[in-house]
Structures are given as C-alpha cells and as structure tokens.
Amino acid sequence: MRVLLIEDDAILGEAIHDHVVMQGHGVDWVKRLDEAALALDAVPYELILLDLNLPDGLGLNFLKTLRRGGNQVPVIIVTAQDQVAMRIEGLDSGADDYLVKPFDLAELRARLSAVARRYAGAPNPETTLGDITLDLTRKSAERAGKPVDLTSREWAVLERLLRHRGGIVSKSDIEESLYAFGAEVESNTVEVYVSRLRKKIGADAVTTVRGLGYKAGA
C-alpha cells in the first residue's frame, strides 16, 4: 500500500516508517498537517497513520475536514492520548482504528493489515490462488502443504493484485504502492517481482494483460 504517516516525533516516526517499509509498503512521512494536505493532493493514499497533536494543528480537525470533503481513505489514529472520551471522539470523527502509544510495532502491522482488508472487502486474512494457500496477516504461503518463502516486496505486489482480484492493476499503480516520494524506481522493477512470484507460486499466479497491467490468477 501507499501509506501517509503524519507524525512529528522524530524517533517514533522513524521507527514506524522503517517498520512499515519493511512490510513492503511505500511510506511518505510528514511532520505537519499542511505538508499532509499537500501530499494528499498529489497521491491517492490507501491508508493514513495520524498523530493528534501536530505543530500546526490538531489531527482530529484534519480528520474531520477529510471526511466532510468526502475522502474515505482509511485512517488509524496513533497517539499518546488514551482517555476513553478521546478514543470515542476519534472514532466518531471518522477514524477506522485508534492505537495508543507506546505500542508494539507488530500490533501496528496487524491493525494496518486488518483495516486494509476491510476496505478491500476481504476481511478474511486467508485466501487461495490456484494451488497456493495464503495467510495475508501472517505473511505465510503454502503450496501443496509446503511453505513458500516470499520477500516483503513480493508480498506487497501480490497483495496489491489480490485487493483488486478480478481486475487489472497497472504497472504504475503497483509502483506507487511500493515507493515513497523521491525514491528511484528502475523501469523493470515490477516485471522482476512478477517474474519472481511466477517462479515461486506458479506461472498462472499472475497474468500479464498486454498494454494494461497485471491481474491475480489466469
């Protein structure tokens, strides 16, 4: 996914950024709400991680403005404010989840995946693709009962295709989900990952639709 992280704490922001990137997602990290607004104008993000107290305003006001404008991007609030009343206000303002600092990064990963699955209309983390059984939460794959080892980037490409199962995903769309602003992307990056996936989980796992992109399955 392409994730927008809005967090002004340098240490926590770096930890979250690096962890989410390690999961294979593209992450843009900003520390102010005005920077976040500019980023949202430029990129169709699939998830926002939002702190509540930012140098130039309140995250809740930013969230309310998003929702009033019709933006339905999933939002997970990440904050040190653990009062029940604040959690209720955050969820009532349009947040999809609320995570209180400090937290385990593995829990953040699980919540991020759960919210993404709900928005994709596939809340069940387990699915199949041909003779491959996939657990999208545990990032595990099996073929004929034997484990298949996929890298984080391979998982990211595969999940992108599965979220649009039955449809075609363009090469540029896959690239945008993998890389943040300013990252160098080689012209054949997507082709390389697709080729690796086919070798590991079967030639029919990913179909190339000439001139348009890729889709999961034959």
Side-chain angles (χ1 to χ4, degrees):
M1 294 184 296
R2 188 71 175 268
V3 177
L4 177 60
L5 169 61
I6 310 173
E7 170 63 65
D8 67 322
D9 184 287
I11 296 176
L12 179 60
E14 183 175 5
I16 293 174
H17 172 274
D18 292 350
H19 184 75
V20 178
V21 168
M22 284 180 61
Q23 305 306 311
H25 305 296
V27 183
D28 294 317
W29 174 21
V30 299
K31 300 178 181 180
R32 297 173 54 89
L33 295 174
D34 54 359
E35 295 173 344
L38 291 173
L40 282 167
D41 285 340
V43 176
Y45 289 97
E46 292 164 287
L47 190 136
I48 296 175
L49 297 172
L50 174 65
D51 189 14
L52 291 185
N53 292 317
L54 283 305
D56 57 338
L58 299 177
L60 274 184
N61 292 339
F62 182 80
L63 174 59
K64 292 174 183 177
T65 299
L66 277 184
R67 296 305 189 227
R68 283 197 297 267
N71 192 322
Q72 298 302 310
V73 60
V75 175
I76 299 178
I77 290 176
V78 181
T79 179
Q81 299 188 38
D82 62 351
Q83 303 94 332
V84 173
M86 184 59 71
R87 296 188 193 190
I88 292 172
E89 185 177 3
L91 295 170
D92 284 347
S93 296
D96 297 89
D97 205 345
Y98 195 106
L99 190 56
V100 177
K101 306 172 186 177
F103 53 83
D104 191 293
L105 289 171
E107 181 181 3
L108 171 64
R109 176 197 55 75
R111 289 176 181 251
L112 189 151
S113 296
V115 170
R117 290 197 308 271
R118 288 202 301 271
Y119 268 75
N124 186 354
E126 296 184 357
T127 187
T128 59
L129 183 60
D131 61 349
I132 299 291
T133 301
L134 303 163
D135 188 318
L136 303 179
T137 296
R138 294 182 175 84
K139 295 291 190 295
S140 64
E142 290 187 355
R143 189 177 192 183
K146 296 181 180 179
V148 179
D149 184 29
L150 300 179
T151 67
S152 60
R153 290 293 192 191
E154 290 163 358
W155 268 111
V157 172
L158 182 58
E159 287 183 306
R160 185 71 171 185
L161 296 172
L162 289 172
R163 280 200 297 274
H164 300 275
R165 198 163 188 166
I168 299 170
V169 184
S170 70
K171 176 182 174 180
S172 62
D173 193 30
I174 295 174
E175 289 175 341
E176 285 188 359
S177 71
L178 295 176
Y179 298 97
F181 283 128
E184 293 186 8
V185 183
E186 295 185 9
S187 60
N188 66 336
T189 296
V190 173
E191 288 87 347
V192 169
Y193 288 127
V194 168
S195 176
R196 291 176 182 173
L197 284 171
R198 286 171 174 157
K199 289 179 181 178
K200 291 182 178 182
I201 63 177
D204 295 332
V206 181
T207 299
T208 300
V209 183
R210 191 173 298 277
L212 296 176
Y214 304 90
K215 67 177 183 178

